[in-house]
Amino acid sequence: LVDKENKFQALKRYEDAVRAVAFSDDGKRVVVGFETGEVEVYKFDDYEGGTIHPFARVTAKDDVDENDLLSQDLSNSHKDSFPGPQFDLPIRDLQFLPQTFWIVVATESGMCIIDVTSSESLDKRLLEREVQEHHNEGGIRGVAINRPATLMASLGMDGRLCVWDVKEDDSNTPKVTLLQREKTVCITKK
C-alpha cells in the first residue's frame, strides 16, 4: 500500500515466501501462492467494492506501529480464509478466469484450474493431465488470459508455448481445449 506521501507500507507478512497473488474480478476472493507450493484462499463475500479492499485494510497511519506490524505473522489472521490446494513445487503464477472463482494455478510441476468458491470445492483439478502431456511433463512459468476469457496461454519451464480455448459448459465449469502448441521450445531455462 502506498500512502499520500508515496511511502510503501507492509500490509501482510508471511513466514513463507510469496510467489503470486490474484484477486477475483469482483474482489470476493484473494488467493496467495507460496514458495512451498501451498495456497491460501481469502473470502470476502460481503465485499461490494470500495477504495481499499479489506485484504489491504489497515488502521490509520498514526495508529500503526511499524515494528509491531512487521513482527506479526498475519498469514492466518483472516477468519474467512482456508487452505487451498497443495502442490509439490513452488507456485509460479495465479490467474482467475474472468467473472468466476475458478483459478489457474501454475507451478514448477504443472498447471491446473481449481474452483476456490469454498474449501469443499477444491477437490476437482481441471486440465492437469492435458497440461502435463502438452508441456512434456514439465512445469509452467506463467499464464496469461484475455478478457473476456476466450483464450489462455501457458508458457512451460522449457519455453514451450501452448494456447488454449476457454469456454464454460452448462454447469459453469470451464472447458479448456488446446488450440496451438509450439513445435519447438522458445526460451530455454537451465
Side-chain angles (χ1 to χ4, degrees):
L1 180 66
V2 181
D3 65 14
K4 292 177 185 175
E5 298 172 9
N6 292 322
K7 294 181 182 175
F8 288 95
Q9 181 177 351
L11 295 176
K12 295 209 180 276
R13 180 184 161 117
Y14 298 92
E15 288 183 15
D16 298 317
V18 173
R19 294 288 295 262
V21 177
F23 283 75
S24 63
D25 287 348
D26 61 6
K28 293 186 177 189
R29 294 293 178 279
V30 177
V31 179
V32 180
F34 297 93
E35 177 82 25
T36 60
E38 295 177 25
V39 174
E40 184 75 15
V41 180
Y42 296 87
K43 291 174 57 173
F44 301 97
D45 287 337
D46 295 334
Y47 179 65
E48 295 300 327
T51 54
I52 297 180
H53 191 277
F55 184 72
R57 192 167 289 140
V58 294
T59 57
K61 183 179 177 186
D62 294 339
D63 297 337
V64 174
D65 181 342
E66 188 174 319
N67 292 326
D68 287 344
L69 180 63
L70 293 176
S71 66
Q72 296 176 13
D73 175 17
L74 301 174
S75 60
N76 294 316
S77 64
H78 189 274
K79 66 178 180 164
D80 287 327
S81 69
F82 57 91
Q86 172 72 40
F87 298 90
D88 56 350
L89 288 173
I91 304 299
R92 292 293 298 228
D93 200 358
L94 297 167
Q95 297 283 332
F96 274 96
L97 293 178
Q99 307 301 318
T100 72
F101 291 151
W102 288 92
I103 190 156
V104 180
V105 181
T107 74
E108 291 184 8
S109 61
M111 183 177 86
C112 62
I113 301 174
I114 299 172
D115 182 2
V116 295
T117 301
S118 68
S119 59
E120 292 78 30
S121 66
L122 298 173
D123 295 337
K124 191 174 184 182
R125 292 185 182 191
L126 306 177
L127 202 64
E128 198 164 28
R129 279 181 270 137
E130 296 89 337
V131 168
Q132 286 295 307
E133 175 187 341
H134 296 298
H135 280 290
N136 298 331
E137 306 295 322
I140 304 299
R141 284 189 205 184
V143 176
I145 302 170
N146 73 333
R147 303 277 192 225
T150 56
L151 294 175
M152 177 174 68
S154 56
L155 181 64
M157 296 295 280
D158 64 358
R160 185 179 310 278
L161 179 70
C162 289
V163 179
W164 308 85
D165 180 44
V166 180
K167 291 186 170 63
E168 278 188 5
D169 65 16
D170 293 336
S171 66
N172 296 325
T173 300
K175 182 180 178 198
V176 183
T177 54
L178 182 69
L179 287 176
Q180 183 175 345
R181 177 183 185 258
E182 292 297 318
K183 291 181 174 45
T184 58
V185 296
C186 307
I187 306 165
T188 59
K189 179 171 175 132
K190 298 181 185 199

